[in-house]
Structure formats: structure tokens, C-alpha cells
Coordinates of all heavy atoms in Angstrom, one line a residue:
M1 N -121.8 -102.7 -139.1 CA -122.1 -101.8 -138.0 C -121.3 -102.1 -136.8 O -121.3 -103.2 -136.3 CB -123.6 -101.9 -137.7 CG -124.1 -101.2 -136.5 SD -125.8 -101.4 -136.0 CE -126.7 -101.9 -137.4
R2 N -120.6 -101.1 -136.3 CA -119.9 -101.3 -135.0 C -120.8 -101.3 -133.8 O -121.7 -100.5 -133.8 CB -118.9 -100.2 -134.8 CG -117.7 -100.2 -135.9 CD -116.6 -99.3 -135.6 NE -115.9 -99.8 -134.3 CZ -115.3 -99.1 -133.5 NH1 -115.2 -97.8 -133.6 NH2 -114.8 -99.6 -132.4
T3 N -120.5 -102.3 -132.9 CA -121.4 -102.5 -131.8 C -120.6 -102.4 -130.5 O -119.5 -102.9 -130.4 CB -122.1 -103.9 -131.9 OG1 -122.9 -104.0 -133.0 CG2 -123.0 -104.2 -130.7
L4 N -121.2 -101.7 -129.5 CA -120.6 -101.6 -128.2 C -121.5 -102.4 -127.2 O -122.7 -102.1 -127.2 CB -120.5 -100.2 -127.8 CG -120.1 -99.9 -126.3 CD1 -118.7 -100.4 -126.0 CD2 -120.2 -98.4 -126.0
V5 N -121.0 -103.3 -126.4 CA -121.7 -103.9 -125.3 C -121.3 -103.1 -124.1 O -120.1 -102.9 -123.8 CB -121.3 -105.4 -125.1 CG1 -121.9 -105.9 -123.9 CG2 -121.8 -106.2 -126.4
L6 N -122.2 -102.5 -123.4 CA -122.0 -101.5 -122.3 C -122.6 -102.0 -121.1 O -123.8 -102.4 -121.1 CB -122.5 -100.2 -122.7 CG -122.3 -99.0 -121.8 CD1 -120.8 -98.7 -121.5 CD2 -123.0 -97.8 -122.4
T7 N -121.9 -102.0 -120.0 CA -122.5 -102.3 -118.6 C -121.9 -101.4 -117.6 O -121.0 -100.6 -117.9 CB -122.2 -103.8 -118.3 OG1 -123.0 -104.1 -117.1 CG2 -120.8 -104.1 -118.0
G8 N -122.3 -101.5 -116.4 CA -121.7 -100.7 -115.3 C -122.4 -101.0 -114.0 O -123.5 -101.6 -114.0
Y9 N -121.7 -100.8 -113.0 CA -122.2 -101.1 -111.6 C -121.4 -100.3 -110.6 O -120.3 -99.9 -110.8 CB -122.2 -102.6 -111.4 CG -120.9 -103.2 -111.6 CD1 -120.0 -103.4 -110.5 CD2 -120.5 -103.7 -112.8 CE1 -118.7 -104.0 -110.7 CE2 -119.3 -104.4 -113.0 CZ -118.4 -104.5 -111.9 OH -117.2 -105.1 -112.1
N10 N -122.1 -100.1 -109.4 CA -121.4 -99.4 -108.3 C -120.9 -100.4 -107.3 O -121.0 -101.6 -107.5 CB -122.4 -98.3 -107.7 CG -123.6 -99.0 -107.2 OD1 -123.7 -100.2 -107.0 ND2 -124.6 -98.2 -106.9
S11 N -120.5 -99.9 -106.2 CA -119.9 -100.8 -105.2 C -120.9 -101.8 -104.6 O -120.6 -102.9 -104.2 CB -119.2 -100.0 -104.1 OG -120.2 -99.1 -103.5
A12 N -122.2 -101.4 -104.6 CA -123.2 -102.3 -104.1 C -123.4 -103.5 -104.9 O -123.8 -104.6 -104.4 CB -124.6 -101.5 -104.0
F13 N -123.1 -103.4 -106.2 CA -123.2 -104.6 -107.1 C -121.8 -105.2 -107.5 O -121.7 -106.0 -108.3 CB -123.8 -104.1 -108.4 CG -125.3 -104.3 -108.4 CD1 -126.1 -103.3 -107.9 CD2 -125.9 -105.4 -109.0 CE1 -127.5 -103.4 -107.8 CE2 -127.3 -105.5 -109.0 CZ -128.1 -104.5 -108.4
K14 N -120.8 -104.8 -106.8 CA -119.4 -105.2 -107.1 C -119.2 -106.7 -107.2 O -118.7 -107.2 -108.2 CB -118.4 -104.6 -106.2 CG -116.9 -105.0 -106.6 CD -115.9 -104.3 -105.7 CE -114.5 -104.7 -106.0 NZ -114.2 -105.6 -107.0
R15 N -119.6 -107.4 -106.2 CA -119.4 -108.9 -106.2 C -120.1 -109.5 -107.5 O -119.5 -110.4 -108.1 CB -119.9 -109.5 -105.0 CG -119.0 -109.2 -103.8 CD -119.5 -109.8 -102.5 NE -119.5 -111.3 -102.6 CZ -120.2 -112.1 -101.8 NH1 -120.9 -111.5 -100.8 NH2 -120.2 -113.4 -101.9
L16 N -121.3 -109.1 -107.7 CA -122.0 -109.7 -108.9 C -121.5 -109.2 -110.2 O -121.2 -109.9 -111.1 CB -123.5 -109.4 -108.7 CG -124.4 -109.9 -109.9 CD1 -124.3 -111.4 -109.9 CD2 -125.8 -109.4 -109.7
G17 N -121.3 -107.9 -110.2 CA -120.8 -107.2 -111.5 C -119.4 -107.7 -111.9 O -119.2 -107.8 -113.1
D18 N -118.6 -108.0 -111.0 CA -117.2 -108.5 -111.3 C -117.4 -109.8 -112.0 O -116.6 -110.2 -112.9 CB -116.4 -108.7 -110.1 CG -115.9 -107.3 -109.5 OD1 -116.0 -106.3 -110.2 OD2 -115.3 -107.3 -108.4
I19 N -118.3 -110.6 -111.7 CA -118.5 -111.9 -112.3 C -119.3 -111.8 -113.7 O -118.8 -112.3 -114.7 CB -119.4 -112.9 -111.4 CG1 -118.6 -113.2 -110.2 CG2 -119.8 -114.2 -112.2 CD1 -119.4 -113.8 -109.1
T20 N -120.4 -111.1 -113.7 CA -121.2 -111.0 -114.9 C -120.5 -110.1 -116.0 O -120.6 -110.4 -117.2 CB -122.6 -110.4 -114.6 OG1 -122.4 -109.1 -114.1 CG2 -123.4 -111.3 -113.7
S21 N -119.7 -109.1 -115.6 CA -119.0 -108.3 -116.6 C -118.0 -109.2 -117.4 O -117.7 -108.9 -118.6 CB -118.4 -107.1 -116.0 OG -117.4 -107.4 -115.1
M22 N -117.4 -110.1 -116.7 CA -116.4 -111.0 -117.5 C -117.2 -111.8 -118.5 O -116.7 -112.0 -119.6 CB -115.7 -111.9 -116.5 CG -114.7 -111.2 -115.6 SD -113.7 -112.4 -114.6 CE -114.9 -113.3 -113.7
N23 N -118.3 -112.3 -118.2 CA -119.2 -113.0 -119.1 C -119.6 -112.2 -120.3 O -119.6 -112.6 -121.5 CB -120.4 -113.6 -118.3 CG -121.4 -114.3 -119.2 OD1 -122.4 -113.7 -119.6 ND2 -121.2 -115.6 -119.4
M24 N -120.0 -110.9 -120.0 CA -120.4 -110.0 -121.1 C -119.2 -109.6 -122.0 O -119.4 -109.6 -123.2 CB -120.9 -108.7 -120.4 CG -122.2 -108.9 -119.7 SD -122.6 -107.3 -118.8 CE -123.7 -107.9 -117.6
E25 N -118.0 -109.4 -121.4 CA -116.9 -109.1 -122.2 C -116.5 -110.3 -123.1 O -116.1 -110.1 -124.3 CB -115.7 -108.8 -121.3 CG -114.5 -108.3 -122.0 CD -113.3 -107.8 -121.2 OE1 -113.3 -108.1 -119.9 OE2 -112.5 -107.1 -121.7
A26 N -116.6 -111.5 -122.6 CA -116.3 -112.7 -123.4 C -117.3 -112.7 -124.6 O -116.9 -113.1 -125.8 CB -116.4 -114.0 -122.6
Y27 N -118.6 -112.4 -124.3 CA -119.6 -112.4 -125.4 C -119.2 -111.4 -126.5 O -119.3 -111.6 -127.7 CB -121.0 -112.1 -124.8 CG -122.1 -111.9 -125.8 CD1 -122.7 -113.0 -126.5 CD2 -122.5 -110.6 -126.2 CE1 -123.6 -112.8 -127.4 CE2 -123.5 -110.4 -127.1 CZ -124.0 -111.5 -127.7 OH -125.0 -111.3 -128.7
A28 N -118.9 -110.2 -126.0 CA -118.5 -109.1 -126.9 C -117.3 -109.5 -127.8 O -117.3 -109.3 -129.0 CB -118.2 -107.8 -126.1
K29 N -116.3 -110.1 -127.2 CA -115.1 -110.5 -127.9 C -115.4 -111.6 -128.9 O -114.9 -111.6 -130.1 CB -114.0 -110.9 -127.0 CG -113.3 -109.8 -126.3 CD -112.2 -110.3 -125.4 CE -111.5 -109.1 -124.7 NZ -110.4 -109.6 -123.8
R30 N -116.3 -112.5 -128.5 CA -116.7 -113.6 -129.4 C -117.2 -113.1 -130.7 O -117.1 -113.7 -131.8 CB -117.7 -114.5 -128.7 CG -118.2 -115.6 -129.5 CD -119.2 -116.4 -128.7 NE -119.7 -117.6 -129.4 CZ -119.5 -118.8 -129.1 NH1 -118.8 -119.0 -127.9 NH2 -119.9 -119.8 -129.8
H31 N -118.0 -112.0 -130.7 CA -118.7 -111.4 -131.8 C -118.0 -110.2 -132.4 O -118.6 -109.5 -133.2 CB -120.1 -111.2 -131.5 CG -120.8 -112.4 -131.1 ND1 -121.1 -113.4 -132.1 CD2 -121.3 -112.9 -130.0 CE1 -121.7 -114.4 -131.5 NE2 -121.9 -114.1 -130.2
D32 N -116.8 -109.9 -131.9 CA -116.0 -108.7 -132.4 C -116.7 -107.4 -132.1 O -116.7 -106.5 -132.9 CB -115.7 -108.9 -133.9 CG -114.5 -108.0 -134.3 OD1 -113.6 -107.7 -133.4 OD2 -114.5 -107.5 -135.5
F33 N -117.4 -107.4 -130.9 CA -118.0 -106.1 -130.5 C -117.0 -105.5 -129.5 O -116.2 -106.1 -128.8 CB -119.3 -106.4 -129.7 CG -120.4 -107.1 -130.5 CD1 -121.4 -107.8 -129.9 CD2 -120.4 -106.9 -131.9 CE1 -122.4 -108.4 -130.6 CE2 -121.5 -107.5 -132.7 CZ -122.4 -108.2 -132.0
A34 N -117.1 -104.2 -129.4 CA -116.4 -103.5 -128.3 C -117.1 -103.7 -127.0 O -118.3 -104.0 -127.0 CB -116.3 -102.0 -128.6
F35 N -116.4 -103.5 -125.9 CA -116.9 -103.7 -124.6 C -116.4 -102.6 -123.7 O -115.3 -102.2 -123.7 CB -116.5 -105.1 -124.0 CG -116.9 -105.3 -122.6 CD1 -118.3 -105.6 -122.3 CD2 -116.1 -105.1 -121.5 CE1 -118.7 -105.8 -121.0 CE2 -116.5 -105.3 -120.2 CZ -117.8 -105.6 -119.9
E36 N -117.4 -102.1 -122.8 CA -117.0 -101.1 -121.9 C -117.8 -101.4 -120.6 O -119.0 -101.7 -120.6 CB -117.3 -99.7 -122.4 CG -116.9 -98.6 -121.5 CD -117.1 -97.2 -122.2 OE1 -117.1 -97.1 -123.4 OE2 -117.4 -96.3 -121.4
C37 N -117.1 -101.2 -119.5 CA -117.7 -101.4 -118.1 C -117.5 -100.1 -117.4 O -116.4 -99.7 -117.0 CB -117.1 -102.6 -117.4 SG -117.8 -102.9 -115.8
L38 N -118.6 -99.4 -117.1 CA -118.6 -98.2 -116.3 C -118.4 -98.5 -114.8 O -119.3 -99.2 -114.2 CB -119.9 -97.4 -116.5 CG -120.2 -96.9 -117.9 CD1 -121.6 -96.2 -117.9 CD2 -119.1 -96.0 -118.4
R39 N -117.4 -98.1 -114.2 CA -117.2 -98.3 -112.8 C -117.0 -96.9 -112.0 O -116.9 -96.9 -110.8 CB -115.9 -99.1 -112.6 CG -116.0 -100.5 -113.1 CD -117.0 -101.3 -112.3 NE -116.4 -101.6 -111.0 CZ -117.0 -101.4 -109.8 NH1 -118.2 -100.9 -109.8 NH2 -116.4 -101.6 -108.7
W40 N -117.1 -95.8 -112.8 CA -116.9 -94.5 -112.2 C -117.9 -93.6 -112.9 O -118.1 -93.7 -114.1 CB -115.5 -94.0 -112.4 CG -115.4 -92.6 -111.8 CD1 -115.0 -92.2 -110.6 CD2 -115.6 -91.4 -112.5 NE1 -115.0 -90.9 -110.4 CE2 -115.4 -90.3 -111.7 CE3 -116.0 -91.1 -113.8 CZ2 -115.5 -89.0 -112.0 CZ3 -116.1 -89.8 -114.2 CH2 -115.9 -88.7 -113.3
W41 N -118.5 -92.6 -112.1 CA -119.3 -91.6 -112.7 C -119.2 -90.4 -111.7 O -118.9 -90.6 -110.5 CB -120.7 -92.0 -113.0 CG -121.3 -92.8 -111.9 CD1 -121.9 -92.4 -110.8 CD2 -121.4 -94.2 -111.9 NE1 -122.3 -93.4 -110.0 CE2 -122.0 -94.6 -110.7 CE3 -121.0 -95.2 -112.7 CZ2 -122.2 -95.9 -110.3 CZ3 -121.2 -96.5 -112.3 CH2 -121.8 -96.8 -111.1
P42 N -119.6 -89.2 -112.1 CA -119.5 -88.1 -111.2 C -120.4 -88.3 -110.0 O -121.5 -88.8 -110.1 CB -120.1 -86.9 -112.1 CG -119.8 -87.3 -113.5 CD -120.0 -88.8 -113.5
T43 N -119.9 -88.0 -108.8 CA -120.7 -88.3 -107.6 C -121.9 -87.5 -107.4 O -122.8 -87.8 -106.7 CB -119.8 -88.1 -106.4 OG1 -119.2 -86.8 -106.4 CG2 -118.6 -89.1 -106.3
D44 N -122.0 -86.4 -108.2 CA -123.2 -85.5 -108.1 C -124.3 -86.0 -109.0 O -125.4 -85.4 -109.1 CB -122.9 -84.1 -108.3 CG -122.4 -83.8 -109.7 OD1 -121.8 -84.7 -110.3 OD2 -122.6 -82.7 -110.2
K45 N -124.1 -87.1 -109.7 CA -125.0 -87.6 -110.7 C -125.4 -89.0 -110.3 O -124.6 -89.8 -109.9 CB -124.5 -87.7 -112.1 CG -123.9 -86.4 -112.6 CD -125.0 -85.5 -113.0 CE -124.5 -84.3 -113.7 NZ -124.5 -83.1 -113.0
H46 N -126.7 -89.3 -110.4 CA -127.2 -90.7 -110.1 C -126.7 -91.6 -111.2 O -126.6 -91.2 -112.4 CB -128.7 -90.7 -110.0 CG -129.2 -92.0 -109.6 ND1 -129.4 -93.1 -110.4 CD2 -129.6 -92.4 -108.3 CE1 -129.9 -94.1 -109.7 NE2 -130.0 -93.7 -108.4
P47 N -126.3 -92.8 -110.9 CA -125.7 -93.8 -111.9 C -126.7 -93.9 -113.1 O -126.2 -94.1 -114.2 CB -125.6 -95.1 -111.1 CG -125.4 -94.7 -109.7 CD -126.2 -93.4 -109.5
S48 N -128.0 -93.9 -112.9 CA -128.9 -94.1 -114.0 C -128.7 -92.9 -115.0 O -128.8 -93.2 -116.3 CB -130.3 -94.1 -113.5 OG -130.6 -95.2 -112.7
W49 N -128.5 -91.7 -114.6 CA -128.3 -90.6 -115.5 C -127.0 -90.7 -116.2 O -126.9 -90.4 -117.4 CB -128.5 -89.3 -114.8 CG -129.9 -89.0 -114.4 CD1 -130.4 -89.1 -113.1 CD2 -131.0 -88.8 -115.2 NE1 -131.8 -88.9 -113.2 CE2 -132.2 -88.6 -114.5 CE3 -131.1 -88.6 -116.6 CZ2 -133.4 -88.4 -115.0 CZ3 -132.4 -88.3 -117.2 CH2 -133.5 -88.2 -116.3
W50 N -126.0 -91.1 -115.5 CA -124.7 -91.2 -116.1 C -124.7 -92.3 -117.2 O -124.1 -92.2 -118.2 CB -123.6 -91.5 -115.1 CG -122.2 -91.5 -115.7 CD1 -121.4 -92.5 -115.7 CD2 -121.6 -90.4 -116.3 NE1 -120.2 -92.2 -116.4 CE2 -120.3 -90.9 -116.7 CE3 -121.9 -89.1 -116.6 CZ2 -119.4 -90.0 -117.4 CZ3 -121.0 -88.3 -117.2 CH2 -119.7 -88.8 -117.6
K51 N -125.4 -93.4 -116.9 CA -125.6 -94.5 -117.9 C -126.2 -93.9 -119.2 O -125.7 -94.2 -120.3 CB -126.5 -95.6 -117.3 CG -126.9 -96.6 -118.3 CD -127.8 -97.7 -117.7 CE -129.2 -97.3 -117.5 NZ -130.1 -98.4 -117.1
M52 N -127.2 -93.1 -119.0 CA -127.9 -92.6 -120.2 C -126.9 -91.7 -121.0 O -126.9 -91.7 -122.2 CB -129.2 -91.8 -119.8 CG -130.2 -92.7 -119.3 SD -130.7 -94.1 -120.4 CE -131.3 -93.2 -121.8
Y53 N -126.2 -90.9 -120.3 CA -125.2 -90.0 -121.0 C -124.2 -90.8 -121.8 O -123.9 -90.5 -122.9 CB -124.5 -89.1 -119.9 CG -123.3 -88.4 -120.6 CD1 -123.5 -87.2 -121.3 CD2 -122.0 -88.9 -120.4 CE1 -122.5 -86.6 -121.9 CE2 -121.0 -88.2 -121.1 CZ -121.2 -87.1 -121.8 OH -120.1 -86.5 -122.4
R54 N -123.7 -91.9 -121.2 CA -122.7 -92.7 -121.9 C -123.3 -93.4 -123.0 O -122.7 -93.6 -124.1 CB -122.0 -93.7 -120.9 CG -121.0 -94.6 -121.5 CD -119.8 -93.7 -122.1 NE -119.0 -94.5 -123.0 CZ -118.8 -94.3 -124.3 NH1 -119.5 -93.3 -124.9 NH2 -118.0 -95.0 -125.0
L55 N -124.6 -93.9 -122.9 CA -125.3 -94.6 -124.0 C -125.4 -93.6 -125.2 O -125.1 -94.0 -126.3 CB -126.7 -95.0 -123.5 CG -126.8 -96.3 -122.8 CD1 -128.1 -96.5 -122.1 CD2 -126.6 -97.5 -123.8
M56 N -125.9 -92.4 -124.9 CA -126.1 -91.5 -126.0 C -124.8 -91.0 -126.6 O -124.7 -91.0 -127.9 CB -126.9 -90.3 -125.5 CG -128.3 -90.6 -125.0 SD -129.3 -91.5 -126.1 CE -129.5 -90.3 -127.4
S57 N -123.8 -90.8 -125.8 CA -122.5 -90.4 -126.4 C -121.8 -91.5 -127.2 O -121.0 -91.2 -128.1 CB -121.6 -89.8 -125.3 OG -121.2 -90.9 -124.4
A58 N -122.1 -92.7 -126.9 CA -121.5 -93.8 -127.6 C -121.9 -93.9 -129.1 O -121.2 -94.4 -129.9 CB -121.8 -95.2 -126.9
F59 N -123.1 -93.3 -129.4 CA -123.6 -93.3 -130.8 C -122.7 -92.5 -131.7 O -122.9 -92.5 -132.9 CB -125.0 -93.0 -130.8 CG -125.9 -94.1 -130.4 CD1 -126.6 -94.1 -129.2 CD2 -126.1 -95.3 -131.2 CE1 -127.3 -95.2 -128.8 CE2 -126.8 -96.3 -130.8 CZ -127.5 -96.3 -129.6
T60 N -121.8 -91.6 -131.2 CA -120.9 -90.9 -132.1 C -119.9 -91.8 -132.7 O -119.3 -91.5 -133.7 CB -120.3 -89.7 -131.3 OG1 -119.5 -90.3 -130.3 CG2 -121.3 -88.7 -130.8
T61 N -119.7 -93.0 -132.0 CA -118.6 -93.9 -132.5 C -119.2 -95.2 -133.0 O -118.7 -95.9 -133.9 CB -117.7 -94.2 -131.3 OG1 -117.1 -93.0 -130.9 CG2 -116.5 -95.1 -131.8
Y62 N -120.3 -95.7 -132.4 CA -120.9 -97.0 -132.6 C -122.3 -96.8 -133.3 O -123.1 -95.9 -133.0 CB -121.1 -97.8 -131.3 CG -119.7 -98.0 -130.7 CD1 -119.3 -97.2 -129.7 CD2 -118.9 -99.0 -131.1 CE1 -118.0 -97.4 -129.1 CE2 -117.7 -99.2 -130.5 CZ -117.2 -98.4 -129.5 OH -116.0 -98.6 -128.9
G63 N -122.6 -97.8 -134.2 CA -123.9 -97.8 -134.8 C -125.0 -98.4 -133.9 O -126.2 -98.2 -134.1
R64 N -124.5 -99.2 -132.9 CA -125.5 -99.9 -132.0 C -124.8 -100.0 -130.7 O -123.6 -100.3 -130.6 CB -125.8 -101.3 -132.5 CG -126.6 -102.1 -131.5 CD -127.1 -103.4 -132.0 NE -126.1 -104.1 -132.8 CZ -126.3 -105.0 -133.8 NH1 -127.6 -105.2 -134.2 NH2 -125.4 -105.6 -134.4
V65 N -125.6 -99.8 -129.6 CA -125.1 -99.9 -128.2 C -126.1 -100.8 -127.5 O -127.3 -100.6 -127.6 CB -125.0 -98.6 -127.5 CG1 -124.5 -98.8 -126.1 CG2 -124.1 -97.6 -128.2
I66 N -125.5 -101.9 -126.9 CA -126.3 -102.8 -126.1 C -126.0 -102.6 -124.7 O -124.9 -102.9 -124.3 CB -126.0 -104.3 -126.6 CG1 -126.3 -104.5 -128.1 CG2 -126.8 -105.3 -125.7 CD1 -125.7 -105.8 -128.6
W67 N -127.0 -102.2 -123.9 CA -126.8 -102.0 -122.5 C -127.2 -103.3 -121.8 O -128.3 -103.8 -122.1 CB -127.6 -100.8 -121.9 CG -127.5 -100.8 -120.4 CD1 -128.4 -101.4 -119.5 CD2 -126.4 -100.3 -119.6 NE1 -127.9 -101.2 -118.2 CE2 -126.7 -100.5 -118.3 CE3 -125.2 -99.6 -119.9 CZ2 -125.9 -100.1 -117.2 CZ3 -124.4 -99.2 -118.9 CH2 -124.7 -99.5 -117.6
M68 N -126.3 -103.8 -120.9 CA -126.6 -105.0 -120.1 C -126.5 -104.6 -118.6 O -125.4 -104.2 -118.2 CB -125.7 -106.1 -120.4 CG -125.9 -106.7 -121.8 SD -124.9 -108.2 -122.0 CE -125.2 -108.6 -123.7
D69 N -127.6 -104.7 -117.9 CA -127.5 -104.5 -116.4 C -126.5 -105.5 -115.8 O -126.3 -106.5 -116.3 CB -128.9 -104.6 -115.8 CG -129.8 -103.4 -116.1 OD1 -129.3 -102.3 -116.3 OD2 -131.0 -103.6 -116.0
A70 N -126.0 -105.1 -114.6 CA -125.0 -105.9 -114.0 C -125.5 -107.3 -113.5 O -124.7 -108.2 -113.2 CB -124.5 -105.2 -112.7
D71 N -126.8 -107.5 -113.5 CA -127.4 -108.8 -113.1 C -127.7 -109.6 -114.3 O -128.5 -110.6 -114.1 CB -128.6 -108.6 -112.1 CG -129.7 -107.8 -112.7 OD1 -129.5 -107.3 -113.8 OD2 -130.7 -107.7 -112.1
I72 N -127.3 -109.3 -115.5 CA -127.5 -110.1 -116.7 C -126.4 -111.1 -116.8 O -125.2 -110.8 -116.7 CB -127.5 -109.2 -117.9 CG1 -128.7 -108.2 -117.9 CG2 -127.5 -110.0 -119.2 CD1 -130.0 -108.8 -118.1
V73 N -126.8 -112.3 -117.2 CA -125.8 -113.4 -117.6 C -126.2 -113.8 -119.0 O -127.3 -114.2 -119.3 CB -125.9 -114.6 -116.6 CG1 -125.0 -115.7 -117.0 CG2 -125.6 -114.1 -115.2
V74 N -125.2 -113.8 -119.8 CA -125.3 -114.3 -121.2 C -125.3 -115.9 -121.1 O -124.3 -116.5 -120.7 CB -124.2 -113.9 -122.1 CG1 -124.4 -114.4 -123.5 CG2 -124.2 -112.3 -122.2
T75 N -126.5 -116.5 -121.4 CA -126.6 -117.9 -121.3 C -126.4 -118.7 -122.6 O -126.1 -119.8 -122.6 CB -127.9 -118.3 -120.7 OG1 -129.0 -117.8 -121.5 CG2 -128.1 -117.8 -119.3
N76 N -126.5 -118.0 -123.7 CA -126.3 -118.6 -125.0 C -125.4 -117.6 -125.8 O -126.0 -116.8 -126.6 CB -127.5 -119.0 -125.7 CG -127.3 -119.7 -127.0 OD1 -126.2 -119.8 -127.5 ND2 -128.3 -120.3 -127.5
P77 N -124.1 -117.7 -125.8 CA -123.3 -116.7 -126.5 C -123.3 -116.8 -128.0 O -122.7 -116.0 -128.7 CB -121.9 -117.0 -125.9 CG -121.9 -118.4 -125.5 CD -123.3 -118.7 -125.0
D78 N -124.0 -117.8 -128.5 CA -124.1 -118.0 -130.0 C -125.1 -117.0 -130.6 O -125.1 -116.8 -131.8 CB -124.4 -119.4 -130.3 CG -123.3 -120.4 -130.0 OD1 -122.1 -119.9 -130.1 OD2 -123.6 -121.5 -129.7
I79 N -126.1 -116.6 -129.8 CA -127.2 -115.7 -130.2 C -126.6 -114.3 -130.5 O -126.0 -113.7 -129.6 CB -128.3 -115.7 -129.3 CG1 -129.0 -117.1 -129.2 CG2 -129.4 -114.7 -129.7 CD1 -130.1 -117.2 -128.2
L80 N -126.9 -113.8 -131.7 CA -126.5 -112.5 -132.1 C -127.7 -111.5 -132.0 O -128.9 -112.0 -132.1 CB -126.0 -112.5 -133.5 CG -124.6 -113.0 -133.7 CD1 -124.4 -113.3 -135.2 CD2 -123.6 -112.1 -133.2
P81 N -127.5 -110.3 -131.7 CA -128.6 -109.3 -131.7 C -129.2 -109.2 -133.1 O -128.6 -109.5 -134.1 CB -128.0 -108.0 -131.3 CG -126.5 -108.2 -131.3 CD -126.2 -109.6 -131.5
P82 N -130.5 -108.8 -133.2 CA -131.1 -108.6 -134.5 C -130.3 -107.7 -135.4 O -129.7 -106.7 -135.0 CB -132.5 -107.9 -134.2 CG -132.7 -108.3 -132.7 CD -131.4 -108.4 -132.1
G83 N -130.2 -108.0 -136.7 CA -129.5 -107.3 -137.7 C -128.1 -107.8 -137.9 O -127.4 -107.4 -138.9
E84 N -127.6 -108.8 -137.1 CA -126.4 -109.4 -137.3 C -126.6 -110.7 -138.0 O -127.6 -111.4 -137.9 CB -125.7 -109.7 -136.0 CG -125.2 -108.5 -135.2 CD -124.0 -107.8 -135.9 OE1 -123.1 -108.4 -136.4 OE2 -124.1 -106.5 -135.9
S85 N -125.6 -111.2 -138.8 CA -125.7 -112.5 -139.5 C -124.7 -113.5 -139.0 O -123.9 -113.2 -138.2 CB -125.6 -112.3 -141.0 OG -124.4 -111.6 -141.3

């Protein structure tokens, strides 16, 4: 099953998101998952709605999408999501 690790943040979270997204990307690469970081969305849409749109549209390509908020830190990169071996 192809997996996408997805995150995103706006300018208010930039300092934190720039750090945590690197950690998330390393986790994704370690397990051969795709990684995407949303840094842009239409200005007439709230980021929460744009996140949902991207999550749903990703399922046309990926069997699983893992959303990680910008304040998430992967503390044990050896742990795989359920269903992985």
C-alpha cells in the first residue's frame, strides 16, 4: 500500500513547522513513504478546509494518508503505522 505523510502550516507556525516537517520527511523517507508539506492554499479558504481537500484528493494516488499537525514530533521513527510490517 502506498502511503503519504502529509503536513502543512501557515506563516504563524513557520518557525516550528520548518523544524518538525524535516523530522516528518525523514520518517517518511525511512519507511519509503511519500511526503508532502502544504505551504500554500487559496486565500479564500481556511487552512483546515484546504487540508481536508488535499487529504481526500490524495486517496486517488495513495492507499493511506497520514496527516501530522505542524506541532508533531516523531520521537520513535522505528514505529510503523498499523498494517505495515
Side-chain angles (χ1 to χ4, degrees):
M1 167 184 340
R2 291 194 65 211
T3 299
L4 171 65
V5 175
L6 182 61
T7 190
Y9 53 93
N10 61 14
S11 59
F13 270 83
K14 183 178 180 350
R15 287 181 59 200
L16 180 61
D18 286 351
I19 296 167
T20 59
S21 63
M22 289 189 303
N23 176 264
M24 294 172 199
E25 184 173 20
Y27 173 79
K29 285 182 181 180
R30 178 184 185 114
H31 297 292
D32 199 28
F33 298 157
F35 175 77
E36 186 176 330
C37 181
L38 299 175
R39 294 291 290 127
W40 177 91
W41 44 82
T43 56
D44 64 334
K45 305 283 188 252
H46 189 275
S48 295
W49 289 107
W50 185 244
K51 170 179 82 173
M52 293 306 298
Y53 170 79
R54 182 60 192 114
L55 277 164
M56 297 307 293
S57 67
F59 283 107
T60 61
T61 306
Y62 300 96
R64 173 176 41 213
V65 180
I66 301 168
W67 174 265
M68 294 186 181
D69 284 335
D71 58 354
I72 295 288
V73 176
V74 177
T75 58
N76 186 345
D78 292 329
I79 294 177
L80 285 165
E84 292 289 321
S85 52

